[in-house]
Amino acid sequence: MKRFFLILIFLSLVACQSEDEHAKTLVTELGAGSASHRIRAFKALVAMGSEAIDALIVGLSDENPRVREMSTWALSEIKEPAGRVVPALITVLNDPDENIRVVGSVTLQRLGEPAVPYLIDALSVDASEIRLNAAYALGEIGAPLDTILPALIRTLTDREWNVRRLAVRALVTIGTPAVDSLIQALYSEDPDLRRMAERALNDIGTPKARQAIADAKRKFSSDQ
């Protein structure tokens, strides 16, 4: 009986190894010259599900941009487990190819709320490309607001101008639901935060947003 179980374990390990090798081969085929070969490999990887994730993560750093792009799409189709898929997709936001960075952002937006906690963590990484693309994606996802809004408000004081700009853009995309949080930021002791909050409110442009800007300006003028 013991020998039987040892044989089963051995066969299982062999099967796992062959699955891994098969996934690696399919990832390589994502860069094939033939579109039909690429599509076939893509569909096979998605069908493998979580078994293909490790190979696809390696594919995200392949020297062939086509492999990186197709690996990104495949991971977004697999989706689960989010704890493995989403952090991998976030690394794509720093890809040297702008088109692939856009693909990474789009795939994260498609994943929606499961991606939000990881995108919020990404707002504090060193790479500015990741921070700005994470801010953009959060604005497009737009929920849950009680988690996204505080994170985007904090990002209005990011050390990089482009990241601050994308945080403003994300808040404007959210629109009216962001107004109350931005009004609170108008009264911050941080002048940079006030300035960016004013910009976002001005772009949102509702009567409440414009009135809040006027009220804040009167308050700070009277305090001087």
Side-chain angles (χ1 to χ4, degrees):
M1 181 64 72
K2 183 178 179 181
R3 183 179 179 185
F4 173 75
F5 282 116
L6 288 173
I7 291 171
L8 283 180
I9 292 170
F10 174 75
L11 291 174
S12 176
L13 289 172
V14 169
C16 288
Q17 186 176 21
S18 69
E19 279 287 289
D20 290 342
E21 292 304 316
H22 182 47
K24 290 175 183 176
T25 299
L26 289 171
V27 168
T28 300
E29 290 179 7
L30 293 176
S34 166
S36 62
H37 287 172
R38 295 196 302 272
I39 292 170
R40 185 164 59 247
F42 175 87
K43 289 181 177 179
L45 286 160
V46 173
M48 289 178 70
S50 62
E51 297 298 323
I53 289 176
D54 288 342
L56 286 166
I57 289 174
V58 173
L60 297 179
S61 57
D62 194 273
E63 63 180 15
N64 185 335
R66 183 176 283 162
V67 172
R68 301 201 303 274
E69 181 177 350
M70 295 288 280
S71 295
T72 301
W73 284 117
L75 282 168
S76 72
E77 289 293 327
I78 293 171
K79 297 180 182 178
E80 297 290 343
R84 293 176 66 201
V85 170
V86 178
L89 291 176
I90 285 174
T91 66
V92 177
L93 301 179
N94 200 36
D95 192 276
D97 187 313
E98 182 179 2
N99 177 62
I100 297 175
R101 294 197 298 271
V102 171
V103 169
S105 180
V106 170
T107 58
L108 288 160
Q109 293 164 41
R110 289 175 58 197
L111 289 175
E113 288 192 34
V116 167
Y118 304 96
L119 286 166
I120 288 174
D121 287 345
L123 293 174
S124 58
V125 302
D126 288 337
S128 60
E129 282 289 346
I130 290 181
R131 298 200 308 276
L132 68 88
N133 280 294
Y136 180 89
L138 285 167
E140 295 298 313
I141 294 170
L145 286 172
D146 61 345
T147 304
I148 287 178
L149 286 176
L152 289 176
I153 295 292
R154 289 193 299 272
T155 307
L156 292 177
T157 56
D158 190 275
R159 60 187 179 275
E160 296 284 344
W161 163 248
N162 274 336
V163 180
R164 298 195 298 272
R165 179 177 62 84
L166 265 294
V168 168
R169 195 265 183 206
L171 288 159
V172 173
T173 298
I174 292 170
T176 300
V179 167
D180 287 342
S181 295
L182 285 165
I183 290 173
Q184 290 181 18
L186 276 181
Y187 294 91
S188 167
E189 294 181 359
D190 185 336
D192 291 330
L193 178 55
R194 295 200 304 269
R195 184 164 52 252
M196 298 307 289
E198 179 181 337
R199 177 172 177 168
L201 285 166
N202 188 61
D203 288 350
I204 291 171
T206 63
K208 182 177 180 180
R210 293 189 183 280
Q211 185 61 51
I213 293 171
D215 291 344
K217 285 182 175 179
R218 277 196 298 271
K219 178 190 182 302
F220 284 104
S221 294
S222 64
D223 288 347
Q224 292 177 350

